[in-house]
Amino acid sequence: MSLRYRVVAIVGVVSLVSFFLTAFALRHILVREFLALERENLARRVEQLLHLVEGEKRNLERIVVDWAFWDDTYRFVGGEYPEYVEVNCTDDVFPNLGIHFLGFFREDGTLVYGKSLDPYTQRPFALPQGFISSVRSLGGLLSRGYLLDRKSGFFSVGKETWFFALSWILRSNLSGPPRGFLVMARKVDEHFLAHLSDLFGSSVKLSALDSSLPETFTVQEVAPFRVLVSVPIPYVIGNGGTSLTFPYFQSFAERGQRVAAFLRRAHVAGSVAVLVLLLFLLEGVVVRRILRLAAFLRKVWESRDFTLRVETQGKDEVTLLGGAVNTLLEEVAARSRSLEESEARFRRLFEGVPVGVYQARLGGEVLQANPRMLEIVECQTLEELRKLGLAFFRQDAILTLSSFEELLKRDRAIRGVVTTWRTKTGTLRFLRENAHLVRDEVYEGTLEDVTEEILARESVRKSEMYYRVLLEYSSDAVLVLERDGRIRFATSSVENVTGYTPEELHGALALSFLHPEDARQVQHLFLQGEEGEVRRVEFRLKHRSGEWRVMEAIGRVLLAHPLVQGIVVTVRDVTERKRAEEAARLASFRDVLTGLYNRAYFEEELVRLNTTRVLPLSLIVGDVNGLKIVNDAFGHTEGDRLLQMVAEAFRASCRKEDVVARWGGDEFAVILPKADATVASEICARIQEKLKEKTSVLPVGIALGWATREDLSRSLEDVVREAEERMYQAKLAGRERFYERVLQSFETFLEELLGKRYLEEMEKLALHFARRLRLSESQREQLILLARFHEIGVIPLARRGEWPGLDQEAFLRRHTESGYFIASNIPRLAPLSEAILAHHEWWNGEGVPRGLRGEEIPLLSRIVALCTAFLEQPFAQAVAHIQRESGRVFDPLLVREFLTMVREHPSENGARRI
C-alpha cells in the first residue's frame, strides 16, 4: 500500500474511532446523567405522593384523637351519656369530617355504636360484608401498655379499599383506664382520589395488585417517554395491599436524547471537514516530498554509487531527513573502506584462534570452519565437513540440532551451553558452545573441547552427591561445631530432630539449647575431649515447641583435620523410646487408675518379704461396697472416682514402708512389714475414718479384714486366707446397714428430682388404691416401695446430663432399663426390679422397653402407671386422659376401679401436681 493511501486510511480510522468514542461518551455519560436526573425526579414525585397520603393519615388521626380524648365520649362508651349520639353524631358531621364510617367499640371489640353515611350525598349506605369484623380486628393494633397509642392506614373489605384511623377512648386529661377505641374510616373512592390528585398536581388512581406487594414503586412504559408509576400501599391487617398509580412524562430522558442526537450530527459534520483539510495538507506538504526521497534512495541502491547526494531546501522535518540521508551515505562510504581492512584482520584471527569457529545455515549446512573446528571433529578438509553436515556430529539427546536452532531463532544468541558431539571416527566429546544468529538463515558459533573438565567434575559431583544424600536422608541430625561450641553446619534433618532449621542454628551456641544440668557434661565430653576420640552422651534439649526432648549424641573431635577443623556430632531424638521404657517400667507394677501397686507386684513382694527380718508381718485386704451400683447408676467415671478416693484413704492411712496395692476390680490389699495385730487394727480404723471424710454420690464404705504372721512356720497362703475370711465376715455384718444408707441416698436424689411432696402423694394414692383392691399386706408394702422408687432409673440420666434432652421413647426405655439394673443390686428393691422395668409398658403391647401386653405386665407396674398418670395432671384432665387411654395404655379393669375410687373419695387423694 502506498504512503498516500496509508495516510488516508490512518486519518479515516482515527476519524471513525473518534466518532465512535464520542457517540459512546454521549450515550453512556450524557444520556446516563439525564437518566439519573430522571430517576431522582421520579423518586421525588413518589415521595411527594406518599407524603400527601401520610398527611391525610395524620389529619384523620388528629380528628380521631379530638373525639377519643373527650369526656363526653368516655362517658358515652361507659353508658353514662345516652344523648351523646343525638347531640354529636348528626348527619352533617360526616361531610365536615370527610368520613364514611364512625364507630365506638369497647376493649373486647363489642360495637357500642356505629354509623355509615356518604359525606357527599348525605345518605346512609350499607357497609360491605365483613366490614365490622375487620374494623374490630383493627383494635388489636393498639398497644395496651401505651394509652396515647393511635393507628392509621389502609385495609380492604371485599373489593373496596378503606382508609382509617383509631385511638383509645380516654378522659380529656388523658387518664385511663381506656373504655374502648374509636374508629373513623373513609372509602378510597373517586372523591378521595380527586382530592389527592388536586394536591399532587397529577391524576392519581387506585389499582389492585395481581401479585405480591412489591417493596418499592414500579414503572410501566405506556408510550415513548411516558410511563405509569405504581406506588404500593400495604394493608395494616391481612396480607397484600393496593397501589396508587399516576402518569409521568420523562422530560429529562427526552431532553437528553435530543441533545445527544444534535451533538452526534455536529460531530460528524466537523469530523468530515477536518478530514478533508488534513488530507489536502498532508498531500502537498509531506507525501510528495517523501516519495521523491524514496525514488532517490532506490537510484543509489541500484547504482551502488554512494557519492550521490540529495538536494535539500527549507528547514522542516523532510529536509532534515534528506540531510540525514546524505550523512548516512558519507558514513557508508567510509565504512566500506574500513570493512575491507577488518576482513583481512578477521581472516588471520579466524585461522589462528584455539577454539573451533564455524558458520552454518539453519538446517546444519556448514558454510565456514576454521582449522581448530576440523581438528575437533577429526575432519581433514572443509569439504568433508560440509558433506557430513552438523546433524552428523551433534549427538546431544536433549539439545538436538533442530531444538538448538529453534532456541537460537528465539533468543538470537546462545552462550556457554555444553553439548555432546561425535567425531568422524565415533568418539564422543563434550563441547562448550556459543552461537549467535547473524542473519535470518545464517548463524555463527564457537566450540571449546571441555571433555576432560566435564569428566573430572562429574566424578567429584557424584562422590559429593552420594555422601550428601546419605546425610540429608538420615533420620539423625549431623552437626559440625566450632571449638567454642558454635554451630557451623547442620544437615536438613536437624529440623525433624530439634524443630529448628539449619539456617536458624547456624552460628548459634549449641550449649544454649541444652538443659543447664546436662550442659556441663556435654561440654566436658565434646568441647574438651581429646582429638579423634569418639564419645556418646544423652542430654535434654529444648525443642522449638518449648518441650524438653531427650537426645542421644555421638561425637568425634576433628579440630586438627584439615578438611573438617571442627567437632562432628550425630544427634538422635530418643524421647519416645525413653517414654516407652519408663511407661513399660511403671506399667509392670503400677495400677493405672489409682497409682497403687498392682497384683503382680503385690505377689512378688509377698515372695520377697518371706523372711524373718520383716516379722511380724500383717496383711490387710478390703472390698469396696456398692461399686457395681455406682457404675450402673452413675457411670464408670463415678465408679473410677470412688476407687481413687478409696486408694487415697489407703495411701494416707498406711506407713511409707507399707506396700499398698489394688488387688482386683474393687479389692485392695496392704503388706505391713514389722507390724503386729495391733498396728494392723489401728491402720484399718484409720482407713475407715478417712473414708468417712470422703464424699461420693453414694455412701463410701469398705469391708476390711486383717491377719498377722508371727513366724515362718505359718504359710503366707494361710495369712491371706484368714484376712479374706475376716473381710467377708465384716462385709456380711455391715451389708444391711450399708444398703439402707444407699437406699436413703437414692430417696434423697428422687426428692430433689421429683419433689418430696409428689412422692408422698404417690405413696398415699397407691396405698389407698391397694386397700380398695384388697391387696395383701406384703403386696401393699411392695407397692408403697415401688411408688417411691419406680423412677430410680432417672437418677443416672440426670446425673450424666442426658435428661432432659432425650426424646420421649428413648427416655422411657433408658430410665426403665437403668432402674432395673440399679434395683437388682439393692436387696430391698431386687424383688421389684421387674416391676420397675415394666412400669411404662402399655396394655396393648405398644409400650417400652419389652412390648409386654395385658397381664404379662406385673400388677404393681399397672397400678403405678395409673397413679402416675393421675398425679401428673389436674383432676378433670387426668380422669379424661385415663378414660381415653383405657384398654390401650391402662388395664381397663383397674381403670374402672381407680376412677370409681377417685370420684367417690376425691379428698383422700391429696393435692395433685399441676
Side-chain angles (χ1 to χ4, degrees), residues 17-223:
V17 171
S18 173
F19 172 75
F20 284 116
L21 288 177
T22 303
F24 177 81
L26 289 174
R27 179 174 182 81
H28 291 278
I29 298 176
L30 181 63
V31 175
R32 185 174 58 188
E33 291 299 323
F34 273 99
L35 290 177
L37 291 174
E38 194 68 72
R39 286 192 294 270
E40 292 177 4
N41 187 59
L42 179 56
R44 282 195 297 271
R45 289 292 288 166
V46 171
E47 184 178 355
Q48 181 182 2
L49 179 58
L50 293 176
H51 181 72
L52 291 175
V53 172
E54 190 67 24
E56 290 297 317
K57 288 165 62 176
R58 294 291 174 263
N59 184 46
L60 190 55
E61 281 184 12
R62 285 193 294 271
I63 295 172
V64 168
V65 168
D66 288 343
W67 280 61
F69 296 171
W70 188 16
D71 290 339
D72 289 353
T73 305
Y74 191 81
R75 291 166 52 213
F76 165 65
V77 175
E80 302 170 5
Y81 188 12
E83 299 85 5
Y84 179 86
V85 172
E86 182 179 352
V87 175
N88 297 295
C89 300
T90 58
D91 291 350
D92 57 348
V93 170
F94 287 80
N96 291 336
L97 299 181
I99 60 175
H100 288 78
F101 173 77
L102 173 64
F104 301 85
F105 293 83
R106 291 195 177 91
E107 275 193 283
D108 60 358
T110 303
L111 177 63
V112 178
Y113 173 76
K115 184 175 181 179
S116 59
L117 188 74
D118 190 324
Y120 304 104
T121 63
Q122 295 192 10
R123 293 179 181 176
F125 66 93
L127 292 171
Q129 186 177 1
F131 179 85
I132 295 301
S133 61
S134 296
V135 172
R136 184 179 293 112
S137 64
L138 292 175
L141 300 176
L142 293 174
S143 171
R144 297 187 180 276
Y146 180 43
L147 296 180
L148 301 183
D149 194 15
R150 74 286 304 268
K151 300 293 181 182
S152 61
F154 292 83
F155 70 97
S156 174
V157 181
K159 295 184 178 180
E160 294 181 354
T161 300
W162 286 73
F163 170 56
F164 77 94
L166 74 158
S167 172
W168 289 119
I169 297 176
L170 305 172
R171 296 185 180 92
S172 58
N173 60 1
L174 305 182
S175 62
R179 286 188 172 176
F181 55 90
L182 171 63
V183 180
M184 291 185 181
R186 180 179 180 179
K187 277 187 184 179
V188 181
D189 54 11
E190 65 274 9
H191 299 287
F192 178 81
L193 295 174
H195 170 68
L196 200 61
S197 299
D198 293 340
L199 296 176
F200 186 56
S202 181
S203 175
V204 179
K205 295 183 179 180
L206 187 70
S207 298
L209 291 175
D210 296 331
S211 58
S212 60
L213 190 69
E215 295 181 0
T216 184
F217 65 89
T218 57
V219 177
Q220 179 183 0
E221 184 175 2
V222 296

Side-chain angles (χ1 to χ4, degrees), residues 493-509:
S493 56
V494 75
E495 185 172 2
N496 296 329
V497 177
T498 68
Y500 299 96
T501 62
E503 293 76 14
E504 292 174 322
L505 294 177
H506 183 74
L509 194 62

Side-chain angles (χ1 to χ4, degrees), residues 737-748:
R737 184 173 63 257
F738 171 75
Y739 281 113
E740 282 300 321
R741 292 170 59 201
V742 169
L743 209 56
Q744 290 174 5
S745 298
F746 277 118
E747 187 172 2
T748 302

